[in-house]
Amino acid sequence: MFSLLLLITTSYATDKNCLWHDSYGYTYDISKLHNINNYQVPDTDTSMGMFNMVYEFNFCTGAVRCQGREVAAFEALEVMGKVTENCDVLGLKETQEFGYVNPVYPELGISVTYKQGDMCFDVKDDGGLQKIIADNEQMQMSPRSVTFEVTCGKDEPNFRVIDSSKCNIRLGIQHSAGCRSGSSPSGGSQTLLLYFILAAGLYFGGGIAYNKKQYQLSGVDALPHSHFWRDFPHLVKDGINFTVIKVFGMIKKFRGLQSEGGYAVI
């Protein structure tokens, strides 16, 4: 009995870093995005001829590491088809943040963001960094981050670059990992039901084991408070009979009053 409860508890305790339970009670499991070979997405939009930026990342494993740190993704420079070894960290795993692709329509999918502790300058003016410094304009400083937008739909094999700036990279994919799973907004109720089942299992399992060992009882006698459970079927039967009698009595009374041309509040 204990082994069964342990198995259920272990199965339920999935890696929390891969699950998100939103405010509506739905569950999203980003472990579905796991790719044993990692994802490598070249950024051809911001490439410089033979040079491309490559974003390598993975989910729920320690497969992607940079300078000994587990990261969600790192940015590398690809020269002549070869990714260089200098990696620029785009998000430490412990900074994981969940949200929606579109907060107005949460069913469209989710976004997962990882932020690096280092800060960077995000140049907002098209004139470039030198112009901003020359004009003494204010520069916006923000942590480098990578955001994965997972839109609910048929699984796609690869991510694509949605937007690339100095401080934030947005990558998108259409995948079932962005679709709502779990039952429905009653996800919280299901959790309570699970705990109730576990508590009931411990109550009956522990009580039966104790009574068998301590008092050498068996069958129904081994149940905790066995006298109550012996009478329980009769209590249920009496309750049903009482309810039926009361309902039929009220209906009969109502019909009698109705036949006399009047109505009564039941």
Side-chain angles (χ1 to χ4, degrees), residues 13-241:
T14 315
D15 186 357
K16 292 182 179 180
N17 291 326
C18 296
L19 294 178
W20 180 44
H21 307 283
D22 69 4
S23 56
Y24 297 94
Y26 292 97
T27 300
Y28 298 87
D29 183 4
I30 65 172
S31 66
K32 295 178 182 177
L33 291 169
H34 178 66
N35 184 340
I36 193 171
N37 297 315
N38 299 337
Y39 293 96
Q40 288 192 11
V41 181
D43 185 358
T44 56
D45 294 332
T46 56
S47 62
M48 300 170 288
M50 69 180 73
F51 305 101
N52 286 326
M53 297 309 299
V54 175
Y55 308 108
E56 184 173 339
F57 48 93
N58 210 331
F59 296 90
C60 306
T61 71
V64 179
R65 304 183 73 84
C66 179
Q67 300 173 3
R69 295 182 296 177
E70 185 180 355
V71 297
F74 69 76
E75 179 185 70
L77 186 65
E78 184 182 42
V79 184
M80 301 294 290
K82 182 179 180 181
V83 180
T84 58
E85 294 181 357
N86 58 316
C87 56
D88 190 358
V89 182
L90 284 178
L92 299 178
K93 292 296 283 291
E94 57 265 25
T95 62
Q96 185 181 57
E97 296 177 2
F98 288 97
Y100 301 106
V101 172
N102 187 336
V104 180
Y105 303 102
E107 66 276 3
L108 291 180
I110 62 172
S111 66
V112 188
T113 300
Y114 300 90
K115 293 182 179 179
Q116 181 184 355
D118 301 339
M119 305 295 284
C120 74
F121 292 108
D122 199 353
V123 181
K124 297 194 299 182
D125 192 292
D126 293 334
L129 182 61
Q130 295 301 322
K131 181 179 183 299
I132 291 178
I133 295 175
D135 295 345
N136 197 25
E137 294 183 19
Q138 185 178 4
M139 291 182 293
Q140 181 182 358
M141 200 170 186
S142 59
R144 285 181 54 79
S145 65
V146 56
T147 299
F148 302 98
E149 296 187 355
V150 187
T151 307
C152 177
K154 186 178 180 180
D155 292 357
E156 290 181 341
N158 298 302
F159 278 79
R160 58 188 175 277
V161 179
I162 298 176
D163 183 39
S164 177
S165 66
K166 282 184 174 293
C167 293
N168 182 265
I169 309 299
R170 289 171 57 220
L171 301 163
I173 195 172
Q174 181 177 285
H175 202 280
S176 59
C179 301
R180 290 176 164 182
S181 59
S183 59
S184 62
S186 63
S189 301
Q190 285 191 339
T191 302
L192 290 175
L193 178 61
L194 175 64
Y195 285 129
F196 174 78
I197 293 173
L198 290 175
L202 288 172
Y203 169 74
F204 284 105
I208 291 172
Y210 178 81
N211 288 336
K212 282 185 175 181
K213 183 178 180 181
Q214 187 72 17
Y215 303 108
Q216 288 77 47
L217 299 176
S218 60
V220 180
D221 294 331
L223 286 171
H225 303 92
S226 58
H227 58 280
F228 171 79
W229 297 111
R230 285 181 181 278
D231 296 336
F232 184 73
H234 301 289
L235 293 173
V236 173
K237 182 180 178 181
D238 292 342
I240 293 174
N241 290 337

